[in-house]
Amino acid sequence: MTQITILYTGDIHGRVERLTRAAFLAQVHRSELLAAGKHVLLLDSGDVEERQLLESDLTEGVAMFRLLKAAGYNASAVGHGAALTYGPDVLATIAQASGLPLVCANMLSRDVHPTPVPGTTPTLIIPCGPVRVGLIGLTSPMNGLYERFYPVKISDVLDVAWRYSHTLRAQGCEVVGVLSHLGYDLDVQLVQALPDLNFVIGGHSHTLLDYPTDIGGVPICHAGHFGRHLGRLDLTLDERGRVAHWFGQLIQVPEDGPGAPEVLREWRRIQTEARRTVREIVGHLSDPVDLAPDRACGMGQLLADALRVRLEADAALCITGHLRAGLNSGNVSLGDLIRACPSPANAGLAYLTGAQIVRALEFGAAPDIWQQCPHMLRGNAVGIVQVSGLSYQLDHEAPAGKRVSAVRIMGRPVDEKATYRVAATDYELMPQRGYIPDLDLGAVQFETRVPLREMLRDHFSLFDPLVPGLRPRVLIPR
């Protein structure tokens, strides 16, 4: 009888120390299992990368996949951490730089004859002695965000899984499983629709299953998040190569356990490379720029200027919550920009009426809006709306609907019936945020491939030295 053990993690999100400890634990189990004549696979269900981790962000996720490869992983599902933030094109770079197979069958090019996104493979066949294990990769549709922002198509999950499961069986795979970044609920639906699967290793929903969920004899396995647990699924196959028995469990990763030496060495190399990169000088500032959430500030106005210049807009508006620090005068390094602007937001150009602009400013002036510290801003206060090409008076003490007045665009009083080209970010432009609730997102021109930090970097390259606009554009009565 053949015995195969699948060790798995998911949703590590840049927790490097935990990854090194989970990798060490996996190595211990792998050595013991191999010594006993068993076969071992090590898989990750996606989102090992993390925008808030410097080394991950600088490399658009590559660094974390290098760590997976150093740890001996056989494959990873495609999460949304890199693909949605930087664009699916980054997957080719990740795959080439790390050498790790990225398994994804349902993200395709938007062509007449769609093909897998470069850098990904729909399936992966791994020989385990006399048995061939076939993996199908599936990633979350992310509520249509991929197709809104990028030239890709997310195919129907059930159709893709059914088709490739039959293909893998025809290619001689006795064991067929799914490496999923769909989330637990979709994993359950998948197994209910395809009961001939042998297992699902899942992620995305951060679900913690001490023992796999058994759906008609098929185990659905999730190891939670942040590398706190290593999952283990043992498959026992009969003489015909069919799964006769399985058992799964989670193993807690010790908080003070040792790290895998190979992963630690690779991490030190990555850190050295990052230190070299962040020292790069990107420009010069003639004056320092401050950061404040409740008034006009130099850093907020600088970001608004960069948005307006980049998108050739009449005006620009943005919250200060995208920013975490100001900048000193003199040389500005890439590291300075990273500390000042860690936001994953992207720029967008919209055609707004004067009335919509005034309403957005008024909405952003409400204390229960600008004083919020939402999770997606990593604890930063949202802040009032900073502007470029535009000025307004803000009275914090006035009642709702009366806080904003004297709005001027390009030096002239705003015409509420006129239409203006306005640059902002996806944070302010998403209708559900409330700034512009009646905005048609289909008409917005998003620049998804360039995050705000890179846009600021380009702004510095255009103006050297950069003289920031320091005169307040939000006038607050004393």
Side-chain angles (χ1 to χ4, degrees), residues 165-283:
S165 67
H166 283 268
T167 299
L168 288 170
R169 297 289 186 192
Q171 292 174 336
C173 291
E174 293 87 350
V175 178
V176 174
V178 171
L179 188 53
S180 161
H181 195 77
L182 296 172
Y184 179 75
D185 291 342
L186 276 178
D187 287 342
V188 171
Q189 294 179 34
L190 179 67
V191 172
Q192 289 172 338
L194 281 80
D196 63 335
L197 292 173
N198 295 116
F199 63 84
V200 172
I201 305 296
H204 182 51
S205 56
H206 294 206
T207 304
L208 186 68
L209 298 176
D210 291 327
Y211 301 97
T213 298
D214 186 338
I215 304 289
V218 180
I220 298 176
C221 310
H222 281 246
H225 58 236
F226 301 162
R228 293 192 175 109
H229 295 86
L230 175 70
R232 174 171 170 168
L233 176 66
D234 296 306
L235 304 175
T236 301
L237 282 62
D238 62 21
E239 63 278 0
R240 291 176 295 177
R242 297 177 181 177
V243 177
H245 176 74
W246 61 261
F247 177 76
Q249 62 182 317
L250 291 186
I251 306 160
Q252 188 163 357
V253 177
E255 287 292 333
D256 56 352
E262 302 87 346
V263 183
L264 290 170
R265 283 195 293 271
E266 184 67 11
W267 178 236
R268 286 193 288 271
R269 282 192 286 269
I270 290 168
Q271 287 181 306
T272 299
E273 294 166 7
R275 284 193 292 269
R276 189 181 306 122
T277 300
V278 298
R279 288 196 292 267
E280 175 191 348
I281 301 300
V282 299

Side-chain angles (χ1 to χ4, degrees), residues 91 301 322 415 418:
L91 297 174
Q301 295 186 168
H322 297 304
D415 181 348

Side-chain angles (χ1 to χ4, degrees), residues 464-477:
D464 192 12
L466 180 59
V467 180
L470 298 178
R471 180 179 297 175
R473 301 163 191 166
V474 183
L475 309 175
I476 299 177

Side-chain angles (χ1 to χ4, degrees), residues 67 96 108 122 128 149-150 155 162 199 264 274 285 309 319 331 337 352 401 404 435 455 467:
L67 295 182
Q96 182 176 6
L108 306 173
C128 293
F149 294 138
Y150 302 107
S155 300
W162 182 88
F199 63 84
L264 290 170
L285 267 178
V309 170
I319 58 167
N331 290 343
L337 278 189
L352 304 181
V404 169
Y435 292 89
M455 193 186 62
V467 180

